[in-house]
Amino acid sequence: MLQKLSIKNIALIESVEIPFTSGLNVLSGETGAGKSVIIESLNFVLGAKADKSLIRTGETECVVRAEFDVSDNHAITQVFNDFDMDASDELIVTRKFTIDGKSSIKVNGETITVGMLKKFTSVLLDVHGQSEHFYLLKSANQLDLLDKFAGDKLSAVKAELEKEYAEYKQILKSIDELGGDEESRNLRLGVLEYQINEIENAELKDGEEEQLISLRDAIRNKEKILNVLTLIKSAVDGDGGAGDILSSVERSVIGIASYGAEYSSLADKIGALMSEMDDIASDVDSLIDNLSENEFDADSVEERLDLIKKLKRKYGANYSDIMTFLSEAQAEKDKLEHFNETAEKLLIDKSKKENIIYELYVNIHKLRVSASEIFTNNVLKELSELSIGKANFKVHFDDVPEKTGCKFNSANGFDTVEFLFSANLGEPLKSLSSVISGGEMSRFMLAIKAQTAKYNDISTFIFDEIDAGISGNVAKVVAEKFARISKDVQVIAITHLPQITAMSDNALFIEKVEISGKMVTTVKSLDESAKINEIIRLVGGNVDSLSAREHATELLKIAKTYKESI
């Protein structure tokens, strides 16, 4: 619900804070005092198009801030989640607009767009007469309200449908995983066969890429490698090299080996070193022979590496991933080739499930039609009480499809509905969106909301002077309907009627006053005494008149008694 509206520099408003409570909030005041500015400011912060004419003369920007209590509001929580924002029990919308046309919007301190703002506010408030916030204009919302009105019996059937439909979707998913229709399967088989052949024909080996990279490096550095190997051979096996020196040393040590065990041990070690030198020389000879005798094909190595790189790009980051892809592709190909065996059972299951779902669709339709008849009669009764008994109202359903033409694409049935209304006898019924303005329409929406308030996800209804042109007993009925609606949702109403002001839980007085040579609009909450004075003003009485005061007091008493009775 809306807790507070803060307005700065809009039209005649310099700066005001308007507190709202649960129940019925009523704003009243003299014509021209600025009541319409309050609604304009509210629409602005809800996402309506901004205009420079909003900004108070002489100022460079205007700001409106709306604070909402959204605890236990699941619809708002979902919007927070949709935008990946942290949900909270409080929602604060701040919108600023500057004289040079720049606008900024924040929700709980986070900058958002107008489109995002409307997602939030569309599930918070229903402003009568403003189609962009008009909850009941949407067919889906009308169907949802009708379903809630239908009660537990319909809810039970819908729950059964949701279960059956979830199973139906799983069957469709399984069929789709098999490859869908024959054309789709053949297309997929062609792709799989190409992929499998491409991988298998490559005859990849684990570790092959690393070996090829090493070989490529060797090819690129053959001369350098040969120079180093030649250097080693010369050092180990060349004339005057390490081999010759160690050979001479070995002979000398052998000559003294008989003089003691330590000399014999030393001779053995030098002998082992000589053997190691011979191995090194042999290895170097082999490596040099390989380099000299084998002419590596550098182009073939590069082509093979390019092929491996291509397969990695298409099928996996490494050998293991590519082999996994190959295995899965082979399994999918096998499943597609044996489609008929598996699909036959699934298609039978699909047909059986469609029969069950269609029966549930028809049952839901019948329950909705039955509920709509009661709902229609209730609304027509409300309209009669509001002195538009010649009006007509109907819940229109689209034609019921035959099973063969039914689209099984919803867990909510095949129905779409539309609320149709005509204000006068003989006039054709029209959709709400085409007759959204006018006094009769205002009272019609009041009748609808009187029937649907407790089923509505919207937490605040706003009525902008829908009492225009009514008085007497109808004014009393309107006040009573406001009171009934406000038992379930917050109601904010701008009015000229004393009966509605008397019925208020929170009375707010809008006044235009002169401050420092400028006319400004102010808003103040009325206590009971001030409320009596405002009721006297609304009936055109004199605040000093005893009879006028007694009449106002009596209106308050009647209102209190009625509210206690509902």
Side-chain angles (χ1 to χ4, degrees):
M1 87 175 181
L2 179 62
Q3 294 179 305
K4 184 190 293 184
L5 185 67
S6 303
I7 306 170
K8 183 177 181 181
N9 295 333
I10 288 191
L12 291 178
I13 296 177
E14 188 173 58
S15 180
V16 297
E17 285 191 356
I18 308 174
F20 295 100
T21 66
S22 58
L24 178 57
N25 297 263
V26 174
L27 292 86
S28 62
E30 292 282 4
T31 300
K35 297 186 292 298
S36 62
V37 176
I38 304 297
I39 296 298
E40 284 185 36
S41 301
L42 189 55
N43 285 327
F44 169 70
V45 82
L46 295 181
K49 185 177 179 180
D51 190 281
K52 296 177 187 179
S53 62
L54 280 174
I55 302 174
R56 179 175 167 80
T57 301
E59 302 295 339
T60 59
E61 67 178 26
C62 62
V63 182
V64 181
R65 173 187 170 101
E67 300 176 25
F68 298 90
D69 176 2
V70 293
S71 55
D72 299 322
N73 189 321
H74 301 298
I76 281 292
T77 300
Q78 184 59 53
V79 178
F80 273 117
N81 293 338
D82 289 344
F83 294 133
D84 197 23
M85 297 171 63
D86 292 333
S88 171
D89 288 342
E90 186 177 46
L91 188 147
I92 300 175
V93 181
T94 306
R95 188 176 184 191
K96 180 189 295 186
F97 189 71
T98 65
I99 198 71
D100 57 1
K102 295 180 179 179
S103 176
S104 66
I105 307 168
K106 291 188 176 183
V107 166
N108 290 358
E110 292 191 44
T111 299
I112 64 169
T113 65
V114 172
M116 293 170 68
L117 173 62
K118 289 182 179 180
K119 290 284 188 180
F120 281 106
T121 58
S122 65
V123 294
L124 281 175
L125 297 98
D126 189 2
V127 183
H128 178 71
Q130 299 294 324
S131 59
E132 57 197 316
H133 302 299
F134 208 172
Y135 183 83
L136 281 180
L137 282 183
K138 297 179 180 178
S139 174
N141 294 336
Q142 294 169 1
L143 182 62
D144 185 53
L145 284 174
L146 181 62
D147 283 359
K148 290 175 180 176
F149 182 85
D152 294 340
K153 191 172 182 180
L154 177 59
S155 296
V157 181
K158 286 180 69 176
E160 185 180 355
L161 172 60
E162 287 178 6
K163 172 180 171 294
E164 296 291 343
Y165 190 74
E167 295 174 1
Y168 177 70
K169 291 288 284 184
Q170 187 58 50
I171 293 171
L172 294 181
K173 181 180 178 183
S174 298
I175 293 173
D176 187 60
E177 288 173 351
L178 287 177
D181 58 31
E182 185 175 1
E183 182 180 353
S184 298
R185 289 196 306 277
N186 290 335
L187 180 63
R188 181 61 179 160
L189 271 171
V191 171
L192 289 169
E193 287 173 355
Y194 173 83
Q195 293 172 330
I196 291 168
N197 290 336
E198 186 174 32
I199 296 172
E200 289 182 338
N201 292 338
E203 297 181 341
L204 297 178
K205 298 179 180 63
D206 194 11
E208 178 185 7
E209 184 179 22
E210 291 76 9
Q211 293 176 358
L212 287 169
I213 290 172
S214 296
L215 182 57
R216 182 182 62 187
D217 291 341
I219 292 171
R220 291 175 176 175
N221 296 280
K222 177 180 177 181
E223 184 176 350
K224 179 179 179 181
I225 294 170
L226 188 59
N227 287 338
V228 171
L229 291 175
T230 302
L231 176 64
I232 295 171
K233 180 174 175 58
S234 176
V236 172
D237 201 32
D239 292 340
D244 287 349
I245 295 171
L246 279 175
S247 178
S248 175
V249 169
E250 182 184 28
R251 287 193 299 272
S252 298
V253 172
I254 289 173
I256 64 172
S258 60
Y259 299 136
E262 64 272 26
Y263 305 122
S264 176
S265 174
L266 183 61
D268 289 342
K269 290 180 180 178
I270 292 174
L273 186 58
M274 277 296 295
S275 178
E276 185 70 22
M277 291 286 288
D278 289 342
D279 288 344
I280 291 173
S282 177
D283 289 345
V284 169
D285 285 339
S286 295
L287 292 171
I288 290 174
D289 289 344
N290 287 337
L291 281 175
S292 301
E293 295 174 4
N294 297 327
E295 290 298 328
F296 298 110
D297 187 347
D299 289 341
S300 296
V301 172
E302 289 295 341
E303 287 175 6
R304 186 66 177 171
L305 284 170
D306 286 343
L307 174 62
I308 294 172
K309 183 178 180 181
K310 174 185 175 184
L311 294 176
K312 285 169 62 178
R313 185 172 62 249
K314 293 172 70 174
Y315 305 120
N318 50 50
Y319 173 83
S320 177
D321 288 348
I322 294 173
M323 290 302 103
T324 299
F325 183 95
L326 175 62
S327 176
E328 291 175 351
Q330 289 169 331
E332 185 181 353
K333 177 174 176 286
D334 183 68
K335 186 165 63 174
L336 287 174
E337 288 174 338
H338 295 85
F339 169 83
N340 290 335
E341 302 169 17
T342 309
E344 185 176 354
K345 180 180 182 304
L346 286 173
L347 291 172
I348 291 171
D349 291 343
K350 174 177 176 284
S351 180
K352 289 179 178 178
K353 194 63 70 175
E354 285 178 349
N355 289 335
I356 294 171
I357 291 173
Y358 184 74
E359 288 183 11
L360 290 170
Y361 277 1
V362 172
N363 288 342
I364 287 172
H365 172 74
K366 290 177 179 177
L367 289 170
R368 282 171 172 162
V369 170
S370 178
S372 73
E373 291 170 355
I374 299 171
F375 180 65
T376 298
N377 289 333
N378 289 355
V379 171
L380 290 173
K381 182 180 177 183
E382 298 272 0
L383 291 171
S384 179
E385 292 173 359
L386 290 165
S387 293
I388 44 175
K390 299 298 183 182
N392 195 8
F393 169 63
K394 179 182 178 181
V395 179
H396 171 74
F397 289 82
D398 284 351
D399 292 338
V400 175
E402 297 291 336
K403 180 179 176 296
T404 52
C406 183
K407 295 180 180 179
F408 297 95
N409 58 1
S410 171
N412 197 36
F414 50 54
D415 290 312
T416 55
V417 303
E418 188 172 21
F419 289 178
L420 304 178
F421 172 68
S422 81
N424 300 298
L425 187 66
E427 288 184 359
L429 288 160
K430 296 181 181 179
S431 64
L432 298 188
S433 57
S434 63
V435 288
I436 195 60
S437 60
E440 294 90 352
M441 185 61 189
S442 296
R443 277 179 275 171
F444 167 72
M445 292 312 304
L446 183 58
I448 289 284
K449 290 174 182 179
Q451 283 295 309
T452 62
K454 64 182 177 182
Y455 307 117
N456 209 321
D457 291 329
I458 296 291
S459 59
T460 301
F461 286 158
I462 299 175
F463 296 91
D464 182 12
E465 297 187 2
I466 75 161
D467 51 28
I470 64 173
S471 59
N473 187 60
V474 177
K476 175 176 175 292
V477 172
V478 169
E480 290 173 350
K481 292 195 185 303
F482 276 157
R484 281 166 48 199
I485 294 171
S486 67
K487 295 288 287 185
D488 298 298
V489 298
Q490 181 188 46
V491 174
I492 299 172
I494 292 179
T495 187
H496 293 289
L497 293 177
Q499 293 91 337
I500 294 176
T501 299
M503 195 70 74
S504 66
D505 299 301
N506 177 34
L508 299 158
F509 181 65
I510 304 171
E511 185 178 19
K512 185 166 64 177
V513 298
E514 183 179 341
I515 299 178
S516 301
K518 294 182 179 179
M519 299 304 295
V520 297
T521 294
T522 63
V523 182
K524 62 181 179 181
S525 298
L526 302 180
D527 57 21
E528 185 165 336
S529 176
K531 189 191 288 190
I532 289 174
N533 288 341
E534 175 60 2
I535 292 171
I536 293 172
R537 185 190 70 79
L538 289 170
V539 298
N542 187 326
V543 294
D544 296 322
S545 167
L546 180 60
S547 61
R549 189 163 295 277
E550 288 176 347
H551 178 58
T553 303
E554 181 65 17
L555 281 178
L556 279 176
K557 182 179 178 181
I558 293 170
K560 182 179 179 181
T561 300
Y562 180 79
K563 287 192 289 185
E564 289 174 350
S565 71
I566 57 177

